[in-house]
Amino acid sequence: MRAWFLAAAVMAFCGGAAAQQTPLQDKVKAVQADPAALKQAIEAGQKAAFFCFNCHGDSGISKIPEVPNLGGQNPAYLVEQIRKFGSGERKDQFMQGLIKVLKDEERVQIALYFGSQTVAPGKADPAQVARGKELFTKLCVRCHGEAARGDATIPRLAGQQIPYLQTSITRYRDGTGIRNNQLMAIATATLKNEDIKAVANYLTQLP
Ligand code: HEC
Ligand code: HEC
């Protein structure tokens, strides 16, 4: 019964049935549809994100391997993760505390600023890449897309830092409660540690 329910949930999600958008995701979409408002929001976001640069980098390319790149990330995904830190659905002691002080408007602006930046591909172990591609194509492409750039609500993975990818994928697989998403728990259930390493190497070198 449970297995059937999960399979149905995955199909509904990937079958184009519009995923439920949160109010801040709707707000992101509205600003994106208005070029003048978007330009303004990106400028305000660059100012509001000043403190974030310490860890995530000025243009969202992190120099700390455990800290994710935010550059080029989908803004709707970013505001959703900020919401999850705020509600405690996603756990990171520092981020949970920090995010509480951001107003809704700043969350949208910061997400649009980082989303407007370009990520640079990372270095990978060539021996891992082919195996990683095979796994990604089989298990991940249907949601994250061929180029691993995601879409309005699915995260971009292309160019992300290897240690961050490995840690995050392992957390979903192991059901540690640090990151909670049923679709990701199902998608990663069969991966071995070596598979996760291979997928992370494949993803980091994508443009
Ligand atoms: C002290 C370092 C530090 C600072 C400063 C910081 N972050 Fe983070 N951030 C992290 C770490 C570490 C993670 C990864 C947490 C995890 O392991 O899941 C993270 C994760 C995130 C994520 C999730 C990204 C993803 O791909 O899922 C978002 C969004 C984010 N931070 C936004 C911000 C914003 C906005 C600011 C500024 C207001 C900020 N961060 C400041 C360290 C930092
Ligand atoms: C059924 C759709 C679906 C499939 C299949 C899927 N994902 Fe995801 N993935 C998602 C969603 C939705 C999220 C955001 C989850 C959240 O809010 O924590 C996500 C998040 C992630 C993240 C976190 C990114 C970040 O910036 O923190 C990683 C890494 C990831 N997926 C890797 C994979 C890999 C590797 C596979 C294949 C083994 C895969 N995903 C298969 C839907 C999917």
Side-chain angles (χ1 to χ4, degrees):
M1 180 62 190
R2 185 172 149 82
W4 178 85
F5 173 78
L6 292 180
V10 171
M11 276 167 66
F13 186 85
C14 293
Q20 193 75 34
Q21 302 245 321
T22 64
L24 278 198
Q25 289 182 314
D26 287 341
K27 178 76 184 142
V28 162
K29 216 163 146 189
V31 177
Q32 283 174 321
D34 176 348
L38 178 60
K39 187 165 173 283
Q40 240 174 26
I42 289 172
E43 282 167 14
Q46 183 169 18
K47 295 200 184 87
F50 192 77
F51 186 68
C52 322
F53 296 164
N54 286 316
C55 294
H56 290 284
D58 291 9
S59 61
I61 300 176
S62 144
K63 295 186 184 71
I64 313 165
E66 291 75 23
V67 176
N69 295 335
L70 303 181
Q73 188 51 276
N74 299 302
Y77 167 75
L78 291 178
V79 291
E80 174 61 2
Q81 295 307 306
I82 292 172
R83 185 195 67 74
K84 283 187 160 184
F85 282 128
S87 71
E89 282 165 72
R90 178 170 177 180
K91 307 214 170 22
D92 180 82
Q93 207 173 20
F94 181 82
M95 287 303 308
Q96 284 180 259
L98 179 64
I99 246 54
K100 292 213 170 81
V101 306
L102 293 179
K103 298 190 199 77
D104 280 358
E105 195 185 18
E106 291 169 325
R107 296 178 181 202
V108 170
Q109 291 166 339
I110 290 174
L112 288 166
Y113 167 71
F114 281 121
S116 73
Q117 301 299 298
T118 314
V119 250
K123 284 199 183 61
D125 173 358
Q128 301 275 344
V129 171
R131 169 88 181 124
K133 181 178 184 172
E134 196 181 300
L135 287 162
F136 184 77
T137 307
K138 197 169 91 188
L139 297 169
C140 326
V141 155
R142 67 198 168 95
C143 293
H144 289 278
E146 201 81 55
R149 292 190 188 155
D151 65 20
T153 52
I154 302 266
R156 177 194 177 103
L157 306 173
Q160 189 56 274
Q161 314 270 350
I162 291 178
Y164 174 73
L165 286 170
Q166 275 187 270
T167 304
S168 303
I169 296 169
T170 307
R171 284 172 173 167
Y172 287 121
R173 183 196 63 185
D174 295 349
T176 56
I178 298 173
R179 295 203 67 172
N180 295 298
N181 182 272
Q182 212 158 47
L183 300 171
M184 277 303 300
I186 299 166
T188 54
T190 60
L191 294 177
K192 300 190 179 64
N193 289 346
E194 308 88 81
D195 298 335
I196 294 176
K197 191 170 165 194
V199 170
N201 272 273
Y202 170 65
L203 291 170
T204 201
Q205 48 89 50
L206 291 177

